[in-house]
């Protein structure tokens, strides 16, 4: 029986997880998408906090990307670094990046944007008290930030770090350095800034109806190009069908994560269409190697061979995605295409579990999301049933995304879970965010990987850098630190009044949207 048929048979006979009830997109306080310049966007999960240096959650970033800005940006077509709050940058010596800053920019509370704001923003990320999670690990090479003058700042690194500016921009780079107002952030405290964001971006927070919606309105003193969208309301709709129905009914203008089984129905419907990209999030099943049972390599290997990832991609994603051998976007320059995905072999899994000392079922209590990633509920169901058939006994619990992502970033989300990663920066150093032991969100403990990634980060020789990162990928693969990897397409549903393309895969920038 081939992988697709095996998966269908498993789904037909297995018990389903308990799903959450469909939710309405109606939110009278949200404003709605009607009216010239107004737009309503349905996200697949809710917003937790709007502190740009403490959260890397996708829904939070969808809002913060409109309010906060970075020194540099990525050109959507060429993927080259371009100016944003910095007008230029250069390497003045092997360990010093100099940024010339845009003059006359102010935060929406009136504070000036200057070199002191850049220094404060970077130092706040690196301060352990901020618990900046994945962001701190991505700029860990920074030794100090020096104010040269009001409009010039030097970022000094501990060793040569040629990729640092690329990791500081907003797409993919979980080291993204959003610039925040020092006086407000230092006086307000963590709780307040997480609820009342203040940035330099084209939008500011208008309202936040907790659990329902967030609305942003224009920053009338914005330094840059004025966007066409004059008001955007983001509503939270985790149930796939509800999002699709809302789009087709004209209740929203845009939805993320069009479910694959609805792709044709959306694309063929009057007044709406699908915009897609192969650069979706790299979905990973991370295994907690810090403690039993996944501190045992044989158990990790058993887990990896128990899952029919190809069958999942073929049947549950309907081919709108690809199976991976390493947890990395294939467009990343250091990607090693010679490393093949794990084979599906439940018999081998059962034998490995016995060798590891588990003669009976190995029970695992897990936490799962619903609606955050493409077909995540169905994928969890299929995976859990396949794991059960291979000698595991999975006890799943569906958890609301905001709570679950907090547990993931603190390393307390359970023995394994699915989490997606954006590789928009196009560099393998993104792996440090979730594999390197020093990253607060990492549940992997691979000494050899840590050593190789550290060496790669210190070399300015591009060929040597690629060689080191490819060795590091082989360690991840051979040590089974990630139990399964795949990359769904990024698929958005749009009203025909909206012109926009997901050039970067994940991430919506309201400035790029054109309205008819």
């Amino acid at each position: 029986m081939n992988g697709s048929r095996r998966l269908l048979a498993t789904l037909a006979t297995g018990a389903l997880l308990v799903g959450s009830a469909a939710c309405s997109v109606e939110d009278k306080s949200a404003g709605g998408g009607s009216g010239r310049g107004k737009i309503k966007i349905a996200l697949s999960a809710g917003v937790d906090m709007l502190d740009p240096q403490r959260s890397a959650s996708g829904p939070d970033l969808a809002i913060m990307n409109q309010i906060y800005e970075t020194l540099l940006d990525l050109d959507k077509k060429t993927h080259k670094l371009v100016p944003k709050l910095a007008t230029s940058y250069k390497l003045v010596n092997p360990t010093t990046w100099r940024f010339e800053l845009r003059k006359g920019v102010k935060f929406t509370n009136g504070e000036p944007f200057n070199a002191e704001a850049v220094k404060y923003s970077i130092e706040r990320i690196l301060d352990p008290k901020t618990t900046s999670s994945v962001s701190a690990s991505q700029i860990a090479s920074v030794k100090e930030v020096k104010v040269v003058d009001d409009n010039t700042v030097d970022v000094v690194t501990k060793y040569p770090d040629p990729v640092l500016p690329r990791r500081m921009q907003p797409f993919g780079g979980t080291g993204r350095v959003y610039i925040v107002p020092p006086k407000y952030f230092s006086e307000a405290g963590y709780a307040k800034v997480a609820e009342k964001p203040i940035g330099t971006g084209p939008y500011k927070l208008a309202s936040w109806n907790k659990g329902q919606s967030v609305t942003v309105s224009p920053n009338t003193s914005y330094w840059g190009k004025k966007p066409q969208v004059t008001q955007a309301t983001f509503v939270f709709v985790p149930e796939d069908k509800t999002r699709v129905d809302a789009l087709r009914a004209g209740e929203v203008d845009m939805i993320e994560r069009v479910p694959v089984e609805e792709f044709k129905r959306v694309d063929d419907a009057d007044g709406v269409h699908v915009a897609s990209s192969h650069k979706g999030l790299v979905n990973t099943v991370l295994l907690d190697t810090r403690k039993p049972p996944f501190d045992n390599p044989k158990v990790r290997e058993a887990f990896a061979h128990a899952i029919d990832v190809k069958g999942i991609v073929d049947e549950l994603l309907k081919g709108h995605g690809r199976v991976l051998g390493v947890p990395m976007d294939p467009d990343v320059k250091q990607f090693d295409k010679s490393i093949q995905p794990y084979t599906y072999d439940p018999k081998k899994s059962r034998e490995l579990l016995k060798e590891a000392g588990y003669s009976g079922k190995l029970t695992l209590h897990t936490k799962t999301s619903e609606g955050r990633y493409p077909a995540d509920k169905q994928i969890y169901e299929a995976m859990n049933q396949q794991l059960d058939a291979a000698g595991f006994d999975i006890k799943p619990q569906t958890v609301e995304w905001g709570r679950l992502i907090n547990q993931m970033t603190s390393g307390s989300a359970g023995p394994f879970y699915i989490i997606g990663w954006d590789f928009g920066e196009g560099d393998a150093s993104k792996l440090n965010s979730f594999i390197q032991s020093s990253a607060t969100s990492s549940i992997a403990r691979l000494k050899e990987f840590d050593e190789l990634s550290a060496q790669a980060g210190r070399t300015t020789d591009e060929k040597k850098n690629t060689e080191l990162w490819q060795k590091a990928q082989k360690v991840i693969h051979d040590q089974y630190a990630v139990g399964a990897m795949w990359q769904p397409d990024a698929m958005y549903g749009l009203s025909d009044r909206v012109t926009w393309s997901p050039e970067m895969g994940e991430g919506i920038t309201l400035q790029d949207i054109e309205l008819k």
Side-chain angles (χ1 to χ4, degrees):
M1 185 181 290
N2 66 29
S4 299
R5 290 177 181 171
R6 277 195 304 266
L7 181 61
L8 287 172
T10 302
L11 289 172
T13 58
L16 298 180
L17 289 173
V18 177
S20 63
C23 60
S24 170
V25 299
E26 290 301 318
D27 178 11
K28 294 180 181 179
S29 67
S34 60
R36 188 176 181 84
K38 294 184 178 181
I39 190 171
K40 183 182 277 189
I41 301 169
L43 302 179
S44 61
V47 167
D48 180 45
M49 71 162 77
L50 296 178
D51 184 334
Q53 297 169 338
R54 295 174 63 214
S55 176
S57 171
D60 295 353
L61 289 168
I63 311 302
M64 295 188 294
N65 280 339
Q66 322 309 327
I67 296 170
Y68 290 98
E69 294 181 304
T70 50
L71 296 177
L72 303 171
D73 204 351
L74 279 189
D75 182 277
K76 308 298 189 306
K77 299 292 185 183
T78 67
H79 291 194
K80 291 182 178 179
L81 286 172
V82 292
K84 195 72 172 180
L85 287 176
T87 55
S88 66
Y89 71 105
K90 64 181 178 180
L91 195 62
V92 296
N93 63 53
T95 58
T96 303
W97 287 99
R98 174 164 292 176
F99 296 86
E100 300 293 340
L101 307 181
R102 194 173 297 278
K103 298 177 183 178
V105 176
K106 290 184 180 294
F107 294 93
T108 53
N109 68 344
E111 280 189 60
F113 161 71
N114 52 28
E116 287 291 349
V118 176
K119 177 179 171 66
Y120 175 85
S121 299
I122 294 175
E123 290 178 346
R124 184 175 186 265
I125 291 173
L126 293 172
D127 185 345
K129 289 184 292 186
T130 305
T131 60
S132 195
S133 164
V134 290
S135 294
S137 69
Q138 288 290 72
I139 62 167
S141 65
V142 175
K143 178 182 179 182
E144 61 180 325
V145 183
K146 295 180 178 180
V147 173
V148 178
D149 58 43
D150 220 29
N151 301 302
T152 310
V153 64
D154 284 349
V155 179
V156 182
T157 57
K158 303 167 190 171
Y159 45 82
D161 187 353
V163 190
L164 179 64
R166 198 165 186 87
R167 293 199 305 273
M168 292 168 64
Q169 54 76 34
F171 291 101
T174 42
R176 54 178 69 85
V177 178
Y178 288 109
I179 308 303
V180 303
K183 186 175 186 296
Y184 171 65
F185 266 60
S186 58
E187 293 177 357
Y190 293 122
K192 184 175 180 179
V193 300
E195 294 198 349
K196 297 182 178 179
I198 298 292
T200 62
Y203 295 90
K204 59 184 179 180
L205 181 69
S207 64
W208 183 356
N209 186 4
K210 294 292 180 67
Q212 297 293 321
S213 67
V214 168
T215 297
V216 296
S217 59
N219 170 8
T220 55
S221 60
Y222 183 56
W223 61 268
K225 179 184 176 182
K226 300 294 188 275
Q228 279 195 25
V229 174
T230 58
Q231 177 182 290
T233 297
F234 298 82
V235 293
F236 316 139
V237 188
E239 210 283 323
D240 288 342
K241 188 175 185 300
T242 306
R243 285 199 307 280
V244 170
D245 289 346
L247 177 68
R248 295 190 68 200
E251 295 172 7
V252 298
D253 303 289
M254 184 174 186
I255 65 172
E256 65 173 353
R257 309 202 193 290
V258 174
V260 290
E261 65 273 13
E262 299 281 356
F263 184 99
K264 185 172 175 54
R265 189 165 76 99
V266 173
D267 215 33
D268 288 348
D270 293 336
V272 298
H273 62 279
V274 174
S276 65
S277 163
H278 73 278
K279 293 184 67 64
L281 297 180
V282 172
N283 282 208
T284 60
V285 180
L286 299 188
L287 307 181
D288 191 344
T289 69
R290 302 169 300 174
K291 53 192 174 185
F294 291 124
D295 59 342
N296 186 328
K298 286 187 180 294
V299 177
R300 300 199 297 269
E301 186 177 357
F303 184 99
H305 289 297
I307 300 173
D308 181 11
V309 184
K310 185 178 186 305
I312 285 171
V313 169
D314 288 348
E315 289 302 317
L316 297 182
L317 296 181
K318 309 296 183 187
H320 292 286
R322 44 190 168 179
V323 184
L324 301 174
V326 291
M328 186 187 295
D329 188 317
D331 289 343
V332 170
K333 62 182 178 181
Q334 302 100 329
F335 180 80
D336 189 344
K337 62 183 179 182
S338 71
I339 299 176
Q340 296 301 303
Y342 300 127
T343 57
Y344 175 53
D345 191 343
K347 180 181 178 182
K348 184 175 183 178
S349 295
R350 289 189 290 271
E351 291 171 352
L352 286 164
L353 285 178
K354 287 179 182 178
E355 291 175 18
Y358 296 97
S359 54
K361 286 270 191 175
L362 172 52
T363 300
L364 298 173
H365 293 269
T366 67
K367 298 172 183 178
T368 71
S369 64
E370 180 180 354
R372 174 65 189 110
Y373 301 120
D376 56 355
K377 178 177 179 286
Q378 295 90 339
I379 288 173
Y380 269 124
E381 291 168 358
M383 277 178 33
N384 291 345
Q385 291 161 32
Q386 290 169 355
L387 288 164
D388 283 342
F392 294 87
D393 179 22
I394 308 300
K395 306 293 186 185
Q397 175 191 1
T398 302
V399 178
E400 185 271 328
W401 177 251
R403 189 167 137 232
L404 185 57
I405 190 64
N406 284 335
Q407 293 172 347
M408 289 177 178
T409 53
S410 67
S412 60
F416 73 87
Y417 49 80
I418 296 175
I419 185 167
W421 304 93
D422 185 343
F423 278 82
E425 66 272 70
D427 191 79
S429 57
K430 179 56 168 285
L431 292 172
N432 289 335
S433 299
F434 56 102
I435 303 294
Q436 191 180 65
S437 298
S438 61
T440 55
S441 61
S442 173
I443 55 176
R445 293 297 179 268
L446 302 175
K447 183 180 178 181
E448 191 178 355
F449 172 86
D450 291 346
E451 292 171 349
L452 288 165
S453 67
Q455 292 176 49
R458 285 168 167 78
T459 182
T460 56
D461 183 294
E462 190 168 326
K463 182 179 178 182
K464 182 65 174 175
N465 175 274
T466 296
E467 289 174 356
L468 289 165
W469 276 121
Q470 291 190 344
K471 288 180 180 178
Q473 292 169 62
K474 194 169 189 322
V475 169
I476 296 171
H477 181 272
D478 293 353
Q479 291 295 315
Y480 300 92
V482 182
M485 298 143 275
W486 64 98
Q487 186 179 29
D489 291 345
M491 297 194 292
Y492 293 81
L494 307 177
S495 161
D496 285 350
R497 71 184 285 257
V498 176
T499 301
W500 178 79
S501 176
E503 301 286 350
M504 303 304 295
E506 297 293 326
I508 300 166
T509 304
L510 293 174
Q511 275 181 300
D512 297 332
I513 292 176
E514 296 180 4
L515 299 176
K516 295 177 182 177

